[in-house]
Amino acid sequence: MSLRDDPDGIAPERALVFEVAGSIDDFNAAVSKIGGLDFLGDEEFQLDPDEDFGVIETRKGHGPGIRKDKRISGRLYMAMPDVQALRHLLSLWRRYEDGESAPYGFGPWFDVFGHLYKLRVWGPEDRIPDETIAYLEEELADKGPNATIRVEVELWYQNTPVRRTTSQNTFAQAVTAAEGVIIDQVEIAEIGYLGRLVDLPAFEVRRLIRREEVSLAICDEVMMVRPQSTIEFPVHTESLEEAMPVSPVLRGDTSPIVAIFDAMPVQNHALLVDRLVLDDPDDFDAMSVVAERKHGTEMASLILHGDRAVAEEPLSRPIYFRPVMYAPGAGNNERPPRDQLLLDLIYRSVLRMKVGDNEGPATAPNVFVVNLSLGDRNRPFAGIMSPWARLLDYLAERFSILFIVSAGNVTEPLNVPDYSRSIDFENASSVEREAAILRALARQQAMRTLLSPAESLNTITVGAWHEDGTPVVNRTGIFSPFADEAGPNISSALGLGHRKVVKPDIFMPGGRELVRVAGNGANGINLRLVPPGRLYGLRCAIPDTGGDLFKEGLCSGTSAATALATRAAHQIFDALSDPDNGNLLADVDAAFYPVIVKAMLVHRARWGSIGELLDHTWQPQGVGTHVVRRDGIARLLGYGRPAVQEAMECSANRATMIGYGTISAGEDAALYRIPLPSSLERIVEPRALTVSLAWFSPVNIRHQTYRRAKLEVAPVEPETRFGVKRSSSQPSDKAVPRGSLFHVRYTGERAVAFVDNGTLALRVFCREQGGPLDQSIRYGFAVTIEAGEKIPVYEEIRQALGIRSRS
């Protein structure tokens, strides 16, 4: 049986679901022995590590089998080339289930079957997942038993126009049969997306909840029914009375390089006036109540000014602002339009900005960083790439845009089972409370996942770090989750991303989030977040009911952290292109700007002391467990909190070098020789080497691997040539190469003799994944060498490179 790609696209009746029990890695190892199998996507479930499940009993004379009463550990999805192939594979599965022998040549398939709980055709349980049912139940309870409920439907994408037309007509008939109405429809061929926004009557919704075989549940054209994508933010903020001076507008280049897609701002606020290039083709200004334009105002303020309590200089360039949400007023949350698919609004916004639309040419063609402090509260990441994430990955690679995206906030109380009573938690030491909270996050990671599109491959995803410039205020009954060194806020959504990619990538200040005990439960106490108020948060512009255009307040969360990451990206570009410091980007093609900035943004990120603590205490421990343990830690910490200021400047004992280039799959590695400081030769002295590599990978939406370009950078024999080896307190060597960002730190203090004229070779190489790669890939990288304070690293490397000293 041949399982080649289908030139006509994915036929819905050919989609198979592989339900895996036991180790998905073991399943993939068995699949690799067959070859030529492409999965559409995968969904891996977080199981209790103490649960006894997996390969534990024999099934009808075969080798090890799977106990039927145990939960599955994941699902993988495959499109078959034709109906005959699908039926053939199902017949093999039935023979396996009946204990028959494998036909000649199909023994490897029976090995694969040994790792399955079930093999079945895509059906209603896939089209209407549990989270959709929960949403439908909530909507009916909230809006009444006779309400009309709006849902988002993704159809299987057919590659030929004729089959697409037939599929869409069949779906339209199914909606009519359900007495529903199609409100909006979108097709984006480049990401294989066919979306529909549909209103359904209550009686049909109740039948979907029961998963009855009604028109939409059994419609083969339907891939998935989901809640409508939406972003909502609370509108209440406590204002600060203490005024701070507003810096004047300092005009440098007036061409924006950073854009923000967010809710309509108060564009005349003193901190924003003359600093925004507002592009509002949908007239969200007229739709928005000024006094409730909260989120966009805050995010724009943070990008332009940072945390005002820290008193940084504002950016000299304006930022391009495209509203994608409005403030309806009457105390309601800011939201995107109800009658449009949000995915299409984002898509059209990028196209208008970069290439123009029917209203005119590109509105901000020089923008290469886009802030998305947004997350779909109705779509937590569950293993399969969302359409929104696929869209960002495509747009990043097509237009060379660095999207900076928030990880999302999980505002539900955190259950801490280590304490049965609130008094026990309150009387515990800060160290004991911190350990209990970290253990609770580890146990509940599957319920506190990223919000779409934070799982996207090519973006920088940002979590919120427990940090701000607001003075500390102590209150009885209110606690910090951390004892000494800060870590991620407990509301910051956890990774990993698709195929265990390190996500979030980095963390930035998101307010020193505080908690209080909300009550005792059967399984321990519950911790609830304390709103920022005056206790913590990042100081920024806010709207005012009285029309005061100087009002400021405190905000927190991953949205705010993402805005600060976007600001840092702008500052990095400014530092690299500063003519007073030699303008390192003077001769660099602008297409490389985003990958260079992407590498620099993560370059000084480290786990720090909290990472070292978790690496020595989190489970599992022991020989051969470091990959699993550090994957768990990376869910919480990503690559860590970057010291952005260090990335923008060198010190006497530290030198940072940047590079860029293009590379194709299969060609010889690009070789770079990094000069080593001669003062470190043959002496015992602490030293470190940090290497960061960034690129935008093309993607293959029809392949399980998804990513098409795998790049890596490797120093040649760093231990023998520079006396350093890979540091343990960072994501594992298996995790780092999974994404489109490669960041590794090496440390040591060995005395070694330098070779190759005192240089260390770095090799950048590219491999294809997820199908053929017929294009070259742009990349940017950064390398830092540092040592003890007395070692003149900067000066010696500068001289070796023949660079004139900065004025």
Side-chain angles (χ1 to χ4, degrees), residues 240-245 308 539 550 552:
L240 299 172
E241 299 302 327
E242 307 83 8
M244 288 182 63
R308 289 263 292 162
R539 182 171 181 138
F550 288 83
E552 296 183 64

Side-chain angles (χ1 to χ4, degrees), residues 760-777:
L760 179 69
L762 290 175
R763 297 182 184 276
V764 177
F765 50 93
C766 175
R767 298 189 181 97
E768 63 182 21
Q769 288 187 320
L773 181 64
D774 56 0
Q775 66 187 83
S776 60
I777 304 297

Side-chain angles (χ1 to χ4, degrees), residues 465-480:
W465 201 251
H466 187 82
E467 180 182 348
D468 59 39
T470 301
V472 176
V473 178
N474 294 317
R475 294 284 178 88
T476 302
I478 294 177
F479 304 91
S480 168

Side-chain angles (χ1 to χ4, degrees), residues 237-252:
T237 298
E238 184 178 350
S239 63
L240 299 172
E241 299 302 327
E242 307 83 8
M244 288 182 63
V246 178
S247 300
V249 176
L250 299 176
R251 274 287 174 259

Side-chain angles (χ1 to χ4, degrees), residues 490-626:
I490 66 171
S491 68
S492 190
L494 306 177
L496 300 164
H498 179 252
R499 296 184 65 78
K500 299 182 180 180
V501 170
V502 174
K503 292 283 177 178
D505 298 278
I506 60 172
F507 285 78
M508 293 293 285
R512 294 193 318 275
E513 190 174 75
L514 303 175
V515 297
R516 61 161 54 97
V517 179
N520 303 324
N523 299 316
I525 64 166
N526 292 318
L527 297 181
R528 187 178 297 278
L529 305 179
V530 177
R534 293 172 175 269
L535 297 180
Y536 69 89
L538 309 174
R539 182 171 181 138
C540 58
I542 63 170
D544 179 66
T545 55
D548 186 343
L549 295 177
F550 288 83
K551 278 292 182 183
E552 296 183 64
L554 298 175
C555 70
S556 64
T558 59
S559 288
T562 302
L564 292 187
T566 300
R567 173 178 172 82
H570 199 303
Q571 291 173 314
I572 288 170
F573 175 78
D574 288 345
L576 293 177
S577 58
D578 183 357
D580 292 336
N581 285 322
N583 192 354
L584 301 180
L585 301 179
D587 299 321
V588 179
D589 189 315
F592 290 96
Y593 291 169
V595 288
I596 292 173
V597 170
K598 182 179 180 180
M600 291 290 284
L601 194 55
V602 76
H603 187 56
R604 301 303 293 170
R606 295 173 63 182
W607 279 359
S609 60
I610 189 173
E612 295 174 2
L613 169 68
L614 294 176
D615 199 30
H616 288 95
T617 59
W618 270 25
Q619 298 301 315
Q621 293 284 329
V623 177
T625 63
H626 73 282

Side-chain angles (χ1 to χ4, degrees), residues 98-122:
D98 291 340
E100 299 179 20
S101 300
Y104 179 77
F106 288 92
W109 273 107
F110 274 45
D111 293 338
V112 170
F113 295 160
H115 297 276
L116 294 184
Y117 179 89
K118 186 186 295 184
L119 177 67
R120 59 180 176 80
V121 177
W122 186 276

